[in-house]
Amino acid sequence: HPGRGFFSPASFLKIEWACLWWAYFLFLAYAFFMTTMNPHEHLAALSREASLIGSSASLLGWDQEVLLPEGGRTYRGEQLALLARLAHERMAGSAMSDAIAQAEAASAGLDPLGDDAVNLRELRRTHERKRLLPVELVEEEARLQSEGQAVWAKARKASDFDQFAPVLERIVDLLRRKAECYGIPDGGEPWDALAEDYEPGCTAKEVDAVFGPLEVRLRELVAKLTSAEQSPCDAFNRVVFDRSAQETFVRRMAEGIGFDFNRGRLDTSTHPFCSGTHCGDVRLTTRFHDDNILDALGSTLHECGHGIYEQGLRSDAIGLPVGDSISLGIHESQSRMWENQVGRSASFWEWATPLAHDILGDNARSFDAKALFGAANVVAPGYIRVEADEATYNLHIIIRFGLERQMLKGELAVQDLPEAWNARYRELLGIEVKDDAH
């Protein structure tokens, strides 16, 4: 009823003015709050804001692999691209530059290992690297990652590399451009520039110096183990177990080694991974087969290693460098430790066997702890990295490392990748790759 009572134009005008005054008041209060913070507190606030955006993108990425309907994938790429741009602008922008400069000016006398000094040092490093990347490239990468993951899953299911090759070519091209933006170090290569985001200071030459001798020794070890007159029996891995029982079993194993389900969850995906937003929200995924239960268990223990590390980070430092993981190498050391040093040990199976009997039922009760320990330590070269035994796993890594170096340097075309891949699996693991899915 325009013109009468509360709904009159004059009343609306009063409401608009009141809203404007409240907005102005809130702005002044925010500005006052920001000016009362010291430079290091102000820098931390900006870091937390950028982290909030990045963690929101991480949650959308988890949803894409676990729950997203097929029809939502294209729009999800746009959502992730926008968040990537916003996070990039927060971390690379002038406000962060000014905050870092002010914090550096007020850094005299700081303990170099104290929170403020560590945050300042790491944010300066991250800020300088982010500034080297055009925002358009950052958006393109987020969009392409989302698209590529979906195309890969379809191509894998269809066992058709040609479906995936075009998007992989675009990914390789983007990563080369990204490496050029960062700047390839003297005497280095594109891999070095990209690895800096995951393992600071690591170079391809240093990794190659480790992998070269390791490859020789592992091949000798695998040949010795696979030709031995006696070896463990893998009969347990050929038993069919009900899917719900498998899920209950691996969840119980995760709880047993310390993963806190009050601050995390376990779901299924095509490829197991660990994600989440902070130490109070850690998302794991695994995968199941009708048989091969030790693959589900190994994948779960591996991702639990990542998850336990994430849950162990400081809850009072969420969004700050001191509350983040130190490097991908340390992260992977935790996942591999729980998967191999713990999950393949005799003492682990002495604890786990009674639980396997109770949860998995009659089909498991004919296997004692010694048999399950043996089944967990069978060495048999295979096609799939996440299903690999402890002795052959690193050969899968060595193969991937070499091929990605060649692609980034332009020495290997994407279309030639299957042939090169198959040749290396024949050379290092002694197996013939039978189709694209493998």
Side-chain angles (χ1 to χ4, degrees), residues 222-237:
V222 172
K224 180 180 179 180
L225 292 172
T226 54
S227 63
E229 293 183 1
Q230 291 185 327
S231 61
C233 176
D234 68 345
F236 180 67
N237 233 16

Side-chain angles (χ1 to χ4, degrees), residues 47-59 82-90:
S47 175
R48 286 192 170 99
E49 185 180 70
S51 178
L52 279 170
I53 299 172
S55 64
S56 299
S58 179
L59 190 59
L82 173 60
L83 290 175
R85 175 170 67 82
L86 294 175
H88 179 78
E89 289 173 344
R90 293 295 191 282

Side-chain angles (χ1 to χ4, degrees), residues 244-265:
S244 62
Q246 290 192 50
E247 292 177 352
T248 301
F249 177 63
V250 300
R251 183 183 175 93
R252 179 66 183 85
M253 297 298 98
E255 289 175 335
I257 68 170
F259 185 75
D260 182 1
F261 280 97
N262 288 320
R263 298 187 295 138
R265 55 182 294 130

Side-chain angles (χ1 to χ4, degrees), residues 146-168:
S146 177
E147 177 188 351
Q149 182 71 18
V151 174
W152 168 81
K154 290 181 180 178
R156 181 179 183 271
K157 187 175 182 179
S159 188
D160 184 5
F161 179 79
D162 288 341
Q163 288 187 24
F164 183 52
V167 72
L168 182 57

Side-chain angles (χ1 to χ4, degrees), residues 10 21 41 131 208 278 297 314 370 412 434:
W21 275 111
E41 292 171 339
R131 289 177 62 190
D208 196 43
H278 62 289
L297 176 61
R314 289 173 48 180
K370 183 177 180 181
L412 177 64
K434 54 189 178 181

Side-chain angles (χ1 to χ4, degrees), residues 95-417:
M96 181 63 74
S97 293
D98 294 343
I100 290 173
Q102 293 167 9
E104 287 175 337
S107 63
L110 285 181
D111 176 1
L113 297 181
D115 286 359
D116 287 343
V118 171
N119 287 333
L120 175 58
R121 182 179 68 245
E122 293 301 315
L123 287 170
R124 164 62 76 182
R125 175 183 172 278
T126 301
H127 173 68
E128 293 299 335
R129 284 183 63 78
K130 295 291 187 183
R131 289 177 62 190
L132 298 172
L133 300 179
V135 68
E136 295 80 12
L137 187 146
V138 173
E139 286 185 293
E140 182 184 354
E141 182 177 27
R143 198 176 286 113
L144 191 52
Q145 285 176 343
S146 177
E147 177 188 351
Q149 182 71 18
V151 174
W152 168 81
K154 290 181 180 178
R156 181 179 183 271
K157 187 175 182 179
S159 188
D160 184 5
F161 179 79
D162 288 341
Q163 288 187 24
F164 183 52
V167 72
L168 182 57
E169 287 177 341
R170 291 161 56 201
I171 290 170
V172 173
D173 174 70
L174 183 143
L175 290 175
R176 287 177 184 152
R177 288 186 281 131
K178 189 175 181 180
E180 291 172 359
C181 290
Y182 282 142
I184 300 171
D186 292 339
E189 56 188 84
W191 193 94
D192 302 339
L194 298 170
E196 189 69 17
D197 287 333
Y198 302 93
E199 193 65 30
C202 181
T203 67
K205 287 183 179 178
E206 291 174 340
V207 175
D208 196 43
V210 175
F211 280 2
L214 181 62
E215 176 185 329
V216 174
R217 294 169 63 185
L218 283 175
R219 291 173 67 179
E220 293 173 351
L221 175 63
V222 172
K224 180 180 179 180
L225 292 172
T226 54
S227 63
E229 293 183 1
Q230 291 185 327
S231 61
C233 176
D234 68 345
F236 180 67
N237 233 16
R238 296 193 296 271
V239 178
V240 173
F241 293 106
D242 178 74
R243 167 71 178 271
S244 62
Q246 290 192 50
E247 292 177 352
T248 301
F249 177 63
V250 300
R251 183 183 175 93
R252 179 66 183 85
M253 297 298 98
E255 289 175 335
I257 68 170
F259 185 75
D260 182 1
F261 280 97
N262 288 320
R263 298 187 295 138
R265 55 182 294 130
L266 177 65
D267 296 275
T268 60
S269 63
T270 304
H271 185 84
F273 66 92
C274 172
S275 181
T277 62
H278 62 289
C279 58
D281 178 13
V282 180
R283 313 291 179 97
L284 312 180
T285 71
T286 190
R287 65 186 186 193
F288 297 95
H289 310 276
D290 291 338
D291 55 4
N292 198 16
I293 187 174
L294 292 182
D295 173 47
L297 176 61
S299 297
T300 302
L301 294 179
H302 182 103
E303 302 309 331
C304 271
H306 288 300
I308 292 170
Y309 180 35
E310 287 289 323
Q311 289 183 339
L313 297 175
R314 289 173 48 180
S315 60
D316 66 329
I318 295 171
L320 302 176
V322 293
D324 200 0
S325 57
I326 191 68
S327 78
L328 189 61
I330 294 297
H331 229 307
E332 196 66 19
S333 76
Q334 301 308 289
S335 61
R336 297 295 304 284
M337 178 190 73
W338 285 107
E339 178 189 5
N340 290 318
Q341 277 66 49
V342 176
R344 300 184 193 273
S345 67
S347 55
F348 174 86
W349 283 106
E350 289 172 3
W351 166 76
T353 298
L355 295 170
H357 292 168
D358 290 343
I359 296 170
L360 298 175
D362 292 340
N363 287 346
R365 292 193 178 97
S366 59
F367 298 91
D368 60 15
K370 183 177 180 181
L372 294 183
F373 167 61
N377 286 278
V378 171
V379 173
Y383 303 101
I384 310 300
R385 174 182 61 86
V386 295
E387 296 177 5
D389 56 78
E390 187 177 4
T392 62
Y393 187 100
N394 286 332
L395 292 173
H396 292 266
I397 303 299
I398 290 170
I399 291 171
R400 285 157 172 75
F401 169 68
L403 294 175
E404 74 178 16
R405 282 181 77 189
Q406 288 181 283
M407 286 193 292
L408 288 170
K409 289 191 289 187
E411 298 172 353
L412 177 64
V414 168
Q415 287 294 343
D416 297 329
L417 179 59

Side-chain angles (χ1 to χ4, degrees), residues 8-19:
S8 68
S11 297
F12 272 119
L13 187 61
K14 291 178 182 178
I15 294 171
E16 288 172 354
W17 274 107
C19 290

